[in-house]
Amino acid sequence: SQQGEEDPQALSIQEGENATMNCSYKTSINNLQWYRQNSGRGLVHLILIRSNEREKHSGRLRVTLDTSKKSSSLLITASRAADTASYFCATGGEAQKLVFGQGTRLTINP
Amino acid sequence: KAGVTQTPRYLIKTRGQQVTLSCSPISGHRSVSWYQQTPGQGLQFLFEYFSETQRNKGNFPGRFSGRQFSNSRSEMNVSTLELGDSALYLCASSLVYHTDTQYFGPGTRLTVL
């Protein structure tokens, strides 16, 4: 299975600090995506990084991809209370299936 | 553009019944995917439809089925409901490929009693 696995499972930080989440996967991919989910709601797409890209930015988000280590990281800078959510990585491979990991639950404390 | 819509938002059924959930994708999106999310199993892929054909399928029993209409709207059906089918069912649409950016609806919360 090429299922992504997020690490840590849960993360609690103070508002204003940076949050880093990691995702590891097992097989080759075409792209890797990060999504956010607020409690009990649908997922919101954050960023997509292709296998030939190493880093991508979007506002306060920075995603890196290391295909040699089969891993990705999501960095959220200057965290806010509104960033409290679960974050999922999803890997898209040659089988044309998008596989989601178990997620990291991020809590931002005021 | 309007986002992905799902109906109903909440549903309560009893064991043995069947249920049909509906999803309207973003206008112009041709791929519609369904997912089941539970606390224990996480987010699991059910199936994907493109041009009224099932293109991809996850590892779920035959009780779970779906279809897509010519306007790309999709329905999924679960027959002979079991307690373990209680979950948040999410629909997502993408332009063409399942591995493109997925745009999710708010989900349907199904409770089986």
Side-chain angles (χ1 to χ4, degrees), chain B residues 13-85:
Chain B
K13 292 284 187 180
T14 56
R15 278 182 301 174
Q17 287 187 309
Q18 76 165 18
V19 66
T20 299
L21 311 180
S22 181
C23 171
S24 292
I26 291 173
S27 178
H29 285 194
R30 297 172 63 189
S31 169
V32 176
S33 301
W34 289 90
Y35 299 84
Q36 180 197 65
Q37 187 176 32
T38 59
Q41 298 298 317
L43 195 63
Q44 293 189 286
F45 170 68
L46 281 157
F47 29 65
E48 180 221 2
Y49 284 87
F50 178 85
S51 291
E52 303 177 63
T53 301
Q54 188 180 87
R55 188 162 63 175
N56 272 305
K57 190 177 188 304
N59 296 322
F60 278 81
R63 300 185 297 107
F64 293 82
S65 63
R67 59 177 175 168
Q68 186 181 33
F69 302 95
S70 57
N71 61 358
S72 292
R73 190 177 70 85
S74 177
E75 289 181 348
M76 68 161 282
N77 184 76
V78 188
S79 62
T80 319
L81 284 166
E82 301 176 359
L83 295 178
D85 297 334

Side-chain angles (χ1 to χ4, degrees), chain A residues 3 30-31 33 35 37 40-45 48 88 91-93 95-102, chain B residues 35 37 39-43 45 48 56-58 88 90 97-102 104-107 109:
Chain A
Q3 183 177 22
N30 293 327
N31 68 54
Q33 304 177 36
Y35 290 82
Q37 184 180 33
R41 299 189 177 186
L43 280 73
V44 174
H45 179 259
L48 181 153
F88 296 86
T91 50
Q96 288 299 307
K97 286 188 179 182
L98 195 63
V99 181
F100 285 80
Q102 293 294 311
Chain B
Y35 299 84
Q37 187 176 32
Q41 298 298 317
L43 195 63
F45 170 68
E48 180 221 2
N56 272 305
K57 190 177 188 304
L88 180 66
L90 294 163
Y97 297 105
H98 174 56
T99 51
D100 290 339
T101 296
Q102 298 268 294
F104 283 81
R109 173 74 63 183

Side-chain angles (χ1 to χ4, degrees), chain A residues 22-82:
Chain A
N22 302 297
C23 171
S24 60
Y25 56 93
K26 296 178 181 177
T27 60
S28 63
I29 60 170
N30 293 327
N31 68 54
L32 186 145
Q33 304 177 36
W34 286 91
Y35 290 82
R36 181 188 74 228
Q37 184 180 33
N38 292 90
S39 180
R41 299 189 177 186
L43 280 73
V44 174
H45 179 259
L46 296 176
I47 203 163
L48 181 153
I49 187 166
R50 302 194 186 284
S51 59
N52 61 353
E53 298 175 308
R54 291 296 167 259
E55 189 171 311
K56 212 162 181 180
H57 296 255
S58 177
R60 295 183 296 113
L61 307 180
R62 173 179 166 246
V63 168
T64 61
L65 178 64
D66 187 335
T67 53
S68 66
K69 295 182 180 178
K70 292 187 170 55
S71 67
S72 173
S73 67
L74 170 66
L75 168 67
I76 303 174
T77 60
S79 63
R80 306 167 181 170

